[in-house]
Amino acid sequence: MFFRIKILSLITLVPVICFSQRAVIQGTVIDSEGLPVELVNVGVRGSVNGAFTDGKGKYSLTVAEGDSLTLVFSCLGYNKTQRIIPKVEGNMTVNVSLRTMDYDIGGVTVTGRQKEPTMMQIETKDSRLAVDATGGSIESFVVTAGTGVSSSNELSTQYSVRGGNYNENIVYVNGIEIYRPVLIRSGQQEGLSFINPDLTDGVSFSSGGFEARYGDRMSSVLDVNYKKPKALEGGFSGSMLGGSAYIGNASGHFSQITGVRYKRGTTLLNTLDTKGDYEPSALDVQTFMTYAVSPGLNLNVMGNYSDNAYDFYPGSRQTSWGNLQVQKSFEVYYAGAERDRFRTLFGATTVKYDISENADIALQVSAFQNTEQENYDIEGEYWISNILDDDNKDITGTGHFIEHARSYLKSNVVNTAVTGSIGLNHHTVRYSLSYQKEDISDRIREWKLQDSMGYSLPVSDEVLQMKSNLFSGNSISSSRFSGYMQDTYSFRNGKGLWTLTAGLRGSYWDFNREFIVSPRASLRFIPSANQRLITRFSTGLYYQAPFYKEFRKIVSDEYGNQNIALNQDIKSQRSIHFVLGGDYNFRVDDRPFKFTTELYYKKMDNLVPYHVNNVRIQYYGENISSGHATGIDLKLFGQFVPETDSWLNFSLMQARQTTFGGVKIPMPTDQLYNFSLYFNDYMPGYRRIQLNLRAIWADGLPFTIPGYEYTKYIRTSSYRRVDIGMTYRLWDSEKDTGSSFFSFFKNIWAGADVFNLLDINNVSSYSWFSDVEGLSHAVPDRLTGRQINFKLIAEF
């Protein structure tokens, strides 16, 4: 009888359950930057009902209409969030924004949770206030914010990463690979880098073990995206180094942001040992426009014009060097001039179509044109002396030299690519196919005539020989085909959240008929037991696809003349990466900190040996070396001062190569140690006055000895530099009132910087000269001294 009553009760409830009203609650979960968050657990408190967000951050769950309920949003790495719904009446949309556990605190911030397993996110919204001898560049932040990054030349925006040279770093802007000039020899010639900090919205960086969607380079990836303004914004800045201005706006379906930069840097160059009339000038104009043709169809256009000129009329030079036993002096008096020009034209168009909420496809066309000219005729008389005391010198060598160059290079690169992504459950599949056409031609005529004590060097009774020369008249037209496919799969179990990314990249170059395949994979794990700890491992096969510099081979004729020939047997350099790392987020006095550790090993073969002179890389032109780079990178990031971000990096590294039948020498980028610090502070009780400090202390670099390239070397002294800057906020629109003129502005700052506070003249390279006994002396080419810079910055 009891069972009959129970069965009848259940039968009676069935119609009630079946015909009760149901409602669908759906929405999107994003992070503090507006990006979708995947695998968020969306649950109803007190119920087993729930769902997970997909790759677009979207969720949907069905609930009964009627009483109130509480939605709980939780995800590893984010703070838990709740939303109370007083009464469920029909279908509803509930959108939520989650904050990372290591929350964003402004300034120049490296976020606590990486958006990609192998990429570090760098926020640069206040970069315009930072002290920077390059005049303001994203690369200067990468040098201190990125792990394993080194730079030993404040005049250059180039950097090396974990034993790789400058050419082994790949740079993307809005998904398009950026190229730099080929002929540049020194930081003085560089002018402005491509990336405009005023236009920058997001910056991602990887020191190694990066994904298959990034191209064929062996060291690092810098991935930059430009802003899409939602309203009127703009600003300008000016300093003794140059100035910049930008303006952006949005109207209906259209948005644009345009920036102009100009750089001189004459005052900084006047602190070099070589005195004269420095007349550098660099102009850069960029624009980025977007147009929403329809709800699912978008058009992006980016353009750039860059014109870097370097005119130099040298006068004299005096350099002293030596040790406690012997002090030497090198004096030169010059005549002549150098006139260089580097011009870049760039344009790109992207058409993107959203097939559905979880799939999109894009067609991207870009074109680069670099025109480079290097012209100089410089003559000099030099004296090498031993310094006896303050007033007396013993001359040990005198000589005369003439340097001549008429070098021209033009490169055109056109790329067409189809890219896309598909979201399937917890998978995100990305793919791309691209075709690239390259046309490069050069005409190089360089020579140096040097004599000592009236005899030309090297001495010959038959012909007048040059100390060095280089001739080229080459052109190449080639095509590259490349593509990749990768999948990112995220899942959770009882142990925590796992993110696995695996992909395959392939490319073919018709110049050397080489096809390369590059498999890559990475795994990230956030344990449930301790969400403040993130561990990751990445590995892969990475190629350095040759691009003109690498396959230029120097061939000498019977008279010692050096001619450049293009080596059609060149192969891509190859490196296998193993990277193990982790982040630990913690708090001290309720202030957030993050400690990062990464161990790496790179095994390299098919290497093309090279030597470096200032920032000019001269390759041997053949695959004759192998090597390795291994080390550890440590980084502490956090609020050393409340509500301001600072960080410090320390790296230990060994980079070695074996070449020429077993000769083992350091790579030109080998540095045993590298320490960098970026520190922010403000006046206690008066936040209008802010201070930032940038310091680098790195081991000296090895330089090969002329005539013994790739076999013998000397090492420079350690690179030590401290820059300090202070800014005062003249106007703060949120706090200041009463001025109709300033009310148009959002912020106005005035500031002063001291570059090279300790006035340490670091060494960028060496010049070689002979004395009366025929001995060659390595005369250090020193970098800039102490310099004061004033600046004014405004935003509206």
Side-chain angles (χ1 to χ4, degrees):
M1 187 69 177
F2 173 78
F3 291 107
R4 290 180 182 177
I5 295 174
K6 284 291 185 182
I7 293 172
L8 288 172
S9 299
L10 291 172
I11 294 174
T12 304
L13 288 173
V14 167
V16 177
I17 296 174
C18 292
F19 293 100
S20 62
Q21 296 295 318
R22 311 291 287 176
V24 175
I25 300 178
Q26 62 182 0
T28 304
V29 180
I30 60 175
D31 62 13
S32 58
E33 298 178 1
L35 299 176
V37 183
E38 186 182 11
L39 289 176
V40 177
N41 187 358
V42 185
V44 178
R45 171 163 287 183
S47 169
V48 295
N49 189 10
F52 286 99
T53 58
D54 60 17
K56 300 289 186 178
K58 297 183 179 299
Y59 72 93
S60 177
L61 53 86
T62 302
V63 299
E65 286 191 353
D67 295 336
S68 67
L69 58 83
T70 300
L71 295 179
V72 180
F73 299 81
S74 61
C75 181
L76 290 175
Y78 293 90
N79 291 321
K80 184 180 293 186
T81 299
Q82 300 182 9
R83 290 291 183 269
I84 299 175
I85 302 176
K87 188 176 183 180
V88 179
E89 295 179 334
N91 297 337
M92 305 177 65
T93 299
V94 179
N95 298 324
V96 172
S97 177
L98 298 181
R99 293 183 63 183
T100 56
M101 299 190 71
D102 187 11
Y103 53 81
D104 183 11
I105 46 181
V108 182
T109 304
V110 181
T111 59
R113 187 173 188 268
Q114 295 174 312
K115 300 299 184 297
E116 301 289 348
T118 61
M119 301 296 287
M120 172 183 291
Q121 311 298 315
I122 302 176
E123 187 174 326
T124 58
K125 63 183 181 182
D126 285 341
S127 62
R128 307 177 84 198
L129 303 181
V131 57
D132 184 3
T134 65
S137 67
I138 295 299
E139 292 86 347
S140 67
F141 278 99
V142 172
V143 169
T144 58
T147 55
V149 186
S150 175
S151 174
S152 298
N153 190 333
E154 66 273 7
L155 293 174
S156 173
T157 59
Q158 302 304 313
Y159 51 86
S160 62
V161 179
R162 294 177 176 172
N165 65 43
Y166 316 132
N167 291 334
E168 296 173 18
N169 306 317
I170 194 167
V171 178
Y172 289 93
V173 175
N174 293 337
I176 301 168
E177 183 178 354
I178 305 301
Y179 295 89
R180 64 186 296 264
V182 174
L183 296 180
I184 284 180
R185 294 176 293 108
S186 65
Q188 296 93 301
Q189 299 172 306
E190 275 196 12
L192 293 161
S193 69
F194 183 92
I195 304 170
N196 188 330
D198 294 337
L199 277 56
T200 299
D201 183 38
V203 177
S204 303
F205 180 75
S206 173
S207 299
F210 41 89
E211 302 167 6
R213 64 190 177 107
Y214 294 115
D216 297 314
R217 291 291 187 273
M218 291 200 302
S219 289
S220 74
V221 171
L222 178 60
D223 191 358
V224 177
N225 287 301
Y226 279 176
K227 299 176 183 178
K228 297 180 181 180
K230 298 180 180 180
L232 178 65
E233 65 173 273
F236 63 85
S237 64
S239 74
M240 297 171 65
L241 298 179
S244 68
Y246 79 98
I247 187 168
N249 71 293
S251 177
H253 300 290
F254 176 78
S255 72
Q256 71 82 31
I257 187 166
T258 301
V260 179
R261 293 178 294 163
Y262 179 74
K263 180 180 177 181
R264 287 282 293 175
T266 301
T267 55
L268 192 62
L269 297 180
N270 285 334
T271 65
L272 296 171
D273 281 352
T274 301
K275 306 302 180 183
D277 293 328
Y278 290 92
E279 297 182 6
S281 65
L283 174 67
D284 180 270
V285 181
Q286 294 190 35
T287 186
F288 178 54
M289 297 178 286
T290 66
Y291 182 73
V293 181
S294 65
L297 183 62
N298 293 278
L299 174 67
N300 298 338
V301 177
M302 185 168 63
N304 167 246
Y305 170 78
S306 175
D307 191 350
N308 291 344
Y310 177 71
D311 294 344
F312 177 44
Y313 304 89
S316 63
R317 169 180 176 177
Q318 183 168 343
T319 301
S320 299
W321 80 101
N323 49 43
L324 293 176
Q325 286 75 35
V326 179
Q327 287 287 319
K328 292 187 174 294
S329 172
F330 177 71
E331 297 177 80
V332 188
Y333 292 93
Y334 296 98
E338 177 176 359
R339 295 176 181 174
D340 307 325
R341 194 77 174 265
F342 306 93
R343 183 183 292 114
T344 298
L345 295 173
F346 165 74
T349 300
T350 302
V351 180
K352 183 180 178 182
Y353 177 65
D354 295 327
I355 302 172
S356 66
E357 291 184 349
N358 299 315
D360 60 65
I361 190 169
L363 174 64
Q364 191 175 73
V365 179
S366 63
F368 264 96
Q369 183 183 87
N370 279 334
T371 304
E372 308 174 38
Q373 301 177 18
E374 191 177 49
N375 304 309
Y376 57 80
D377 287 287
I378 296 176
E379 184 177 4
E381 297 277 353
Y382 69 88
W383 291 262
I384 300 175
S385 308
N386 290 330
I387 301 176
L388 303 179
D389 53 45
D390 293 340
D391 300 319
N392 297 293
K393 298 178 181 179
D394 180 20
I395 297 177
T396 59
T398 64
H400 172 266
F401 64 88
I402 301 176
E403 296 179 343
H404 167 89
R406 294 292 184 273
S407 299
Y408 306 92
L409 186 141
K410 187 173 185 178
S411 57
N412 292 285
V413 179
V414 179
N415 183 281
T416 302
V418 175
T419 63
S421 66
I422 303 172
L424 301 170
N425 295 324
H426 300 311
H427 294 265
T428 300
V429 178
R430 293 176 175 174
Y431 61 88
S432 176
L433 290 172
S434 68
Y435 167 74
Q436 181 165 294
K437 181 67 174 177
E438 302 168 3
D439 293 292
I440 305 174
S441 60
D442 70 9
R443 182 179 179 275
I444 296 175
R445 299 290 185 271
E446 298 179 4
W447 53 260
K448 179 179 181 179
L449 174 65
Q450 180 177 334
D451 69 64
S452 178
M453 304 300 290
Y455 292 92
S456 62
L457 300 175
V459 178
S460 174
D461 295 331
E462 298 179 358
V463 295
L464 178 64
Q465 291 193 356
M466 300 293 148
K467 181 71 174 178
S468 62
N469 57 27
L470 189 64
F471 301 99
S472 177
N474 294 299
S475 62
I476 177 176
S477 180
S478 63
S479 298
R480 296 181 196 262
F481 304 85
S482 63
Y484 75 86
M485 179 172 287
Q486 71 173 44
D487 179 27
T488 299
Y489 174 55
S490 297
F491 64 94
R492 67 174 74 240
N493 55 22
K495 296 185 179 297
L497 175 64
W498 303 79
T499 303
L500 173 64
T501 299
L504 191 67
R505 184 178 188 89
S507 65
Y508 173 79
W509 188 30
D510 65 359
F511 176 75
N512 62 353
R513 299 177 182 177
E514 180 187 36
F515 180 72
I516 55 178
V517 178
S518 174
R520 307 173 189 178
S522 63
L523 178 66
R524 182 180 63 189
F525 173 60
I526 305 176
S528 300
N530 187 357
Q531 298 183 28
R532 295 184 178 275
L533 178 65
I534 302 174
T535 57
R536 57 187 175 274
F537 174 76
S538 59
T539 185
L541 182 60
Y542 296 83
Y543 287 91
Q544 178 80 13
F547 186 79
Y548 202 65
K549 272 189 176 182
E550 288 94 326
F551 60 90
R552 297 196 307 172
K553 180 182 177 181
I554 296 178
V555 179
S556 299
D557 61 21
E558 57 182 322
Y559 300 107
N561 296 315
Q562 295 184 319
N563 299 279
I564 294 178
L566 303 184
N567 181 11
Q568 202 162 354
D569 295 324
I570 196 74
K571 300 297 180 184
S572 296
Q573 301 178 85
R574 184 170 56 186
S575 175
I576 302 176
H577 290 196
F578 301 94
V579 183
L580 176 64
D583 301 323
Y584 181 68
N585 299 280
F586 62 98
R587 289 181 176 271
V588 176
D589 291 335
D590 202 33
R591 300 199 301 268
F593 288 85
K594 182 175 75 172
F595 183 69
T596 299
T597 302
E598 288 193 338
L599 296 164
Y600 63 90
Y601 177 79
K602 299 195 294 186
K603 183 182 183 301
M604 296 170 276
D605 57 11
N606 280 346
L607 295 182
V608 180
Y610 64 92
H611 63 269
V612 180
N613 183 15
N614 202 302
V615 298
R616 186 179 192 178
I617 299 175
Q618 181 68 59
Y619 285 93
Y620 185 74
E622 294 184 69
N623 305 95
I624 59 171
S625 295
S626 61
H628 74 273
T630 184
I632 181 172
D633 298 323
L634 307 173
K635 178 178 180 179
L636 179 62
F637 164 83
Q639 292 187 2
F640 295 89
V641 176
E643 299 182 10
T644 64
D645 298 347
S646 303
W647 57 84
L648 57 89
N649 276 295
F650 180 71
S651 300
L652 294 173
M653 182 188 69
Q654 182 190 72
R656 296 288 188 269
Q657 64 177 330
T658 302
T659 185
F660 287 101
V663 178
K664 297 182 178 181
I665 60 172
M667 289 184 175
T669 53
D670 177 63
Q671 285 182 307
L672 176 61
Y673 61 88
N674 182 25
F675 171 83
S676 64
L677 168 69
Y678 190 90
F679 180 76
N680 279 308
D681 200 356
Y682 56 86
M683 184 73 69
Y686 195 63
R687 293 292 299 272
R688 287 180 180 268
I689 299 178
Q690 299 184 26
L691 178 143
N692 61 82
L693 181 144
R694 184 175 184 267
I696 297 176
W697 186 6
D699 190 18
L701 295 170
F703 282 84
T704 55
I705 300 174
Y708 300 92
E709 284 85 355
Y710 319 112
T711 57
K712 295 183 179 181
Y713 67 94
I714 59 175
R715 191 178 288 270
T716 67
S717 57
S718 60
Y719 182 86
R720 296 162 293 167
R721 185 177 177 90
V722 177
D723 299 330
I724 189 169
M726 181 177 293
T727 57
Y728 176 75
R729 181 174 290 187
L730 299 171
W731 175 261
D732 184 349
S733 60
E734 296 181 358
K735 298 179 180 179
D736 298 330
T737 59
S739 173
S740 59
F741 174 76
F742 289 123
S743 61
F744 179 73
F745 293 93
K746 182 180 179 181
N747 294 292
I748 302 176
W749 294 271
D753 302 324
V754 180
F755 301 137
N756 198 356
L757 178 66
L758 304 180
D759 199 25
I760 299 174
N761 294 115
N762 295 291
V763 177
S764 64
S765 59
Y766 290 97
S767 297
W768 293 84
F769 293 90
S770 301
D771 62 17
V772 67
E773 297 178 355
L775 298 176
S776 293
H777 295 269
V779 181
D781 298 323
R782 302 193 187 279
L783 290 164
T784 59
R786 185 188 294 122
Q787 178 66 33
I788 297 176
N789 178 56
F790 297 100
K791 58 188 178 184
L792 179 68
I793 305 163
E795 295 177 342
F796 60 84

